[in-house]
Structures are given as C-alpha cells and as structure tokens.
Amino acid sequence: MLKKRIIPCLDIKDGRTVKGVNFVGLKDAGDAVELAKKYVQEGADELVFLDITATVEKRKTLTKLVEKIAKEINIPFTVGGGINSLEDAKAIIKSGADKVSINSSAVKNPKLISEIAEQFGNQCVVLAIDSKLENNEWTVYVHGGRTATSLRTIEWAKEGEKLGAGEILLTSMNNDGTGNGFALDILEEVSNIVNIPVIASGGAGNMQHFADVFLQTKANAALAAGTFHFGKIKIPELKTYLKNQNIPIR
C-alpha cells in the first residue's frame, strides 16, 4: 500500500508566503525560503509552491525564488502559478522543481497537460483543481478562485487523468482556510473515480482532520498551509498521531 504523504503548501504573493480564508483576506505568513527549510527539517514529504497571483497578474512564476528554495531542500518540489506553455514548464523544472502544477492554463488549453507529460513524464504534471460547491454541484474555478467555469469537478478530474496528469491537487474553496476539515465528499468521489494519486487540500485545522481524510477517502496525500505556517500543527507530531491510528505514513 502506498504510504500517505504530508505536504505543506507555500502560497506566494509578492515574494512572501501568505494565507487567507476561502481564497480571500490574505495575511503574511513568513519568508518562503525559511519556511521551506523548516519543513524539510520537520520531515515534510513534499513541498508545494503556488504563485497565487501570477495568472491574474498575467506574469510568469517567480523563478528566482523557486531556484532559492530548490537549493535549500531535498524533498520533491511542486511549483505552480503562471505556467501557460511548455516553455514555462521547462523554465520551472530548470529552476529546480520536480513537478509543475497547472490549473487555469489547463482549463484554457487542455492539450498543455499532454504536452508537459510527453516532455517530462506523467509524474511531473499535477493538475490543480480549485472546486466550489454551489447548488449541490462541485464546479471548477480558475484565476485563483475568481472565475467560475462550466466544468464539473469529477468530469474534469477524469479528463485530466486521460490527458496525462500524474496527480490531482484538489482544493475545496468552501473549506479553504476555515480549519473545519477537508471536503470529504468530493475527495472521496474524485479519489474513487481516478487511478492517479489525489492530494487533499483546503480546510485542515487539527490532526483528526488528516486522519479523517486518509481513513474516509482514498486520498494519497494531505496538504495544508496556515495550519503549519502558524504552528497550530507540527509535522513530526502529526505523523506520530497518524501512525498511532495505523495510517501508513512515510
């Protein structure tokens, strides 16, 4: 059985780590390089870096910052935000990322998933899906959660896998930053329907929330930001807690 992964996420705006609630009300959460180093020391399994305003500001990801972080860490490193072409993906991998995360650009040009997968392998492509529950339907949002699309989350996850994504990073916008727990229903549906790893994101507030997502869905990894940044949960203690519940943790 694949061991479950614990992944801190650095949401980056203007070169600093930030955290909000439901994708708004961003607060400063610290220096990205220092946080990255801390998470490696604490035993994080991977690190995700999302340049959350790159798409809206129509600019490339902050490659210099990606390079700085990549030099300091020795765990798998996923980078997303503003990756709109195969050339952008190449630049990010060249900067030291192991995987690229694409979201708005994949919705706009689904072929981009296949292009990156063909160049670097499926394991390099993370399809990030920002999903919101509205009128009993989970809908895909783009542009950092600002714009609704006509895509349904389940169908888009299936399509993404078919096009070559090696992993899905599924964020519930309703749960994001609330500390009320992950959106177990949509995570269960998506992880049951695809054959690639699913990373749960949005809503972690205590250690039991991590246990719930691993015990009640087939999610392979759980991602959190503010809960780790502001010291509410420390990764070594979380891993011990999960192991004590017989959850296979790295």
Side-chain angles (χ1 to χ4, degrees), residues 68-214:
K68 269 191 205 169
I69 293 172
K71 280 187 184 131
E72 298 288 347
I73 66 173
N74 58 358
I75 55 175
F77 185 29
T78 300
V79 174
I83 298 168
N84 295 306
S85 66
L86 183 57
E87 292 311 309
D88 290 345
K90 281 180 184 170
I92 290 300
I93 298 223
K94 199 175 163 193
S95 299
D98 300 287
K99 311 179 202 179
V100 294
S101 163
I102 52 175
N103 185 336
S104 307
S105 57
V107 170
K108 192 175 163 190
N109 173 23
K111 281 193 304 206
L112 183 60
I113 300 171
S114 308
E115 285 171 16
I116 300 171
E118 279 160 23
Q119 181 81 34
F120 297 107
N122 303 62
Q123 80 289 344
C124 269
V125 189
V126 179
L127 177 62
I129 302 176
D130 292 334
S131 183
K132 194 175 191 181
L133 181 62
E134 295 175 310
N135 307 319
N136 293 322
E137 281 271 25
W138 284 94
T139 302
V140 176
Y141 270 66
V142 293
H143 303 128
R146 290 168 174 82
T147 312
T149 71
S150 58
L151 292 170
R152 296 287 168 260
T153 300
I154 304 250
E155 278 77 33
W156 180 229
K158 279 197 296 195
E159 180 67 12
E161 179 183 26
K162 209 189 305 177
L163 288 164
E167 207 161 19
I168 285 169
L169 168 54
L170 181 59
T171 302
S172 160
M173 291 174 61
N174 306 70
N175 297 52
D176 173 73
T178 62
N180 295 330
F182 294 99
L184 299 176
D185 50 350
I186 188 64
L187 283 161
E188 185 181 17
E189 282 188 71
V190 171
S191 59
N192 278 336
I193 212 156
V194 298
N195 298 303
I196 53 177
V198 173
I199 303 168
S201 164
N206 60 43
M207 293 198 258
Q208 187 58 45
H209 292 151
F210 287 86
D212 291 342
V213 82
F214 291 139

